[in-house]
Amino acid sequence: MATDEGVRLLLIGPPGSGKGTQAKQLTERYRVPHISTGDMLREQIRKGTSLGEEAKGYINDGNLVPDELILSMLRVRLSQSDSQGGYVLDGFPRSHAQAEALDALLERQGQNIKAAILLVLDDETIVKRLCNRRVCPECGRVYHLINHPPKTEDRCDEYHCRATLIQRPDDNETAIRNRLRIYHEQTQPVVAFYKEKGLLKAIDASREILRVQIDIERALEG
Ligand code: AMP
């Protein structure tokens, strides 16, 4: 049987803990695709597909999209050729059932997870971060109005983009607090799941981006 050399990383953490930002660094380092279930869902909404229509209400209220929808979307994505050599999975699994489903899928394919990286951040810091978050609807770049503002007000810095930045509809305080509640109730069991398997790497996500990046690299090397 051929050995599995793919680098498969999971990024787990509460909303606003920097998963997307760190995922981008990791995908460059390991030359694997960044697969974000949140980005995939927003893309479906933009395209106006039936999946997007179904998912929209759950997302805007800060609730989890039902497992069947997520799993069928993800199975298709993970079967594509660019995912065969590995990936950074951002925002999945978010429930124990999703973690079990991923495990079963990997086992069928004789594949392994290299690590589950947990970004740790307290709730009040998250609320402050997310209320000030702005994103570019074109390239997905993320800004913070105080810590990392765009050079020109409300415009993406990317030369090829320059789109008007938006606030995600689920980045309002009511939805954020709901997302945090769901994270504690449904996603915390995923943390225990990977800890038991010896795959969990917990990282302090309150530090600056570069510091967090270095800590992740060290944890993966160690
Ligand atoms: P994110 O961009 O990762 O913050 O995800 C935004 C929203 O998409 C979440 O609040 C959920 O409504 C939905 N979502 C993303 N990933 C999942 C998942 N693995 N399971 C269920 N819902 C998800």
Side-chain angles (χ1 to χ4, degrees):
M1 196 175 156
T3 50
D4 169 33
E5 289 175 354
V7 175
R8 292 177 197 83
L9 296 169
L10 308 181
L11 267 169
I12 309 170
S17 55
K19 298 189 294 294
T21 305
Q22 295 301 331
K24 286 206 172 64
Q25 314 285 352
L26 288 165
T27 54
E28 279 165 24
R29 176 157 186 226
Y30 291 103
R31 296 171 191 276
V32 290
H34 172 199
I35 301 180
S36 153
T37 43
D39 285 350
M40 289 168 76
L41 291 166
R42 283 184 287 277
E43 175 72 9
Q44 297 289 323
I45 293 173
R46 247 191 319 272
K47 288 184 178 159
T49 65
S50 55
L51 169 59
E53 282 306 308
E54 211 170 324
K56 196 152 83 186
Y58 295 101
I59 296 178
N60 290 350
D61 292 343
N63 291 319
L64 290 188
V65 172
D67 284 346
E68 319 81 74
L69 292 186
I70 293 286
L71 286 167
S72 58
M73 181 181 81
L74 194 71
R75 275 196 202 101
V76 171
R77 182 66 188 88
L78 295 187
S79 68
Q80 288 169 356
S81 58
D82 68 331
S83 314
Q84 302 317 307
Y87 42 76
V88 177
L89 205 44
D90 159 7
F92 183 97
R94 257 177 157 99
S95 65
H96 194 270
Q98 290 183 7
E100 296 273 16
L102 179 63
D103 231 31
L105 187 73
L106 289 168
E107 202 176 316
R108 274 202 300 279
Q109 295 178 339
Q111 297 176 336
N112 290 307
I113 293 292
K114 179 180 168 70
I117 301 160
L118 170 67
L119 297 180
V120 182
L121 196 61
D122 69 273
D123 287 7
E124 289 318 305
T125 309
I126 287 167
V127 174
K128 275 193 221 125
R129 266 195 195 181
L130 290 185
C131 287
N132 285 301
R133 177 161 80 173
R134 296 293 180 276
V135 292
C136 174
E138 297 296 327
C139 71
R141 203 166 151 171
V142 179
Y143 298 86
H144 184 279
L145 292 182
I146 296 152
N147 301 338
H148 175 48
K151 292 192 184 101
T152 310
E153 204 182 333
D154 289 339
R155 292 258 164 210
C156 181
D157 291 347
E158 289 292 333
Y159 175 69
H160 295 290
C161 193
R162 310 290 294 153
T164 303
L165 302 181
I166 57 159
Q167 183 168 30
R168 273 173 45 170
D170 56 346
D171 277 351
N172 64 79
E173 189 163 347
T174 312
I176 293 167
R177 297 231 177 247
N178 192 36
R179 285 154 72 199
L180 282 170
R181 183 183 57 78
I182 288 172
Y183 176 77
H184 293 301
E185 281 175 15
Q186 302 205 37
T187 311
Q188 285 290 348
V190 174
V191 174
F193 183 89
Y194 289 108
K195 192 170 186 183
E196 231 164 75
K197 289 179 180 286
L199 290 172
L200 195 76
K201 312 274 182 199
I203 306 287
D204 176 1
S206 67
R207 307 172 84 186
E208 40 181 85
I209 294 172
L210 194 60
R211 185 69 246 175
V212 175
Q213 189 187 328
I214 292 168
D215 288 349
I216 293 176
E217 279 168 17
R218 289 210 177 125
L220 292 177
E221 279 156 17

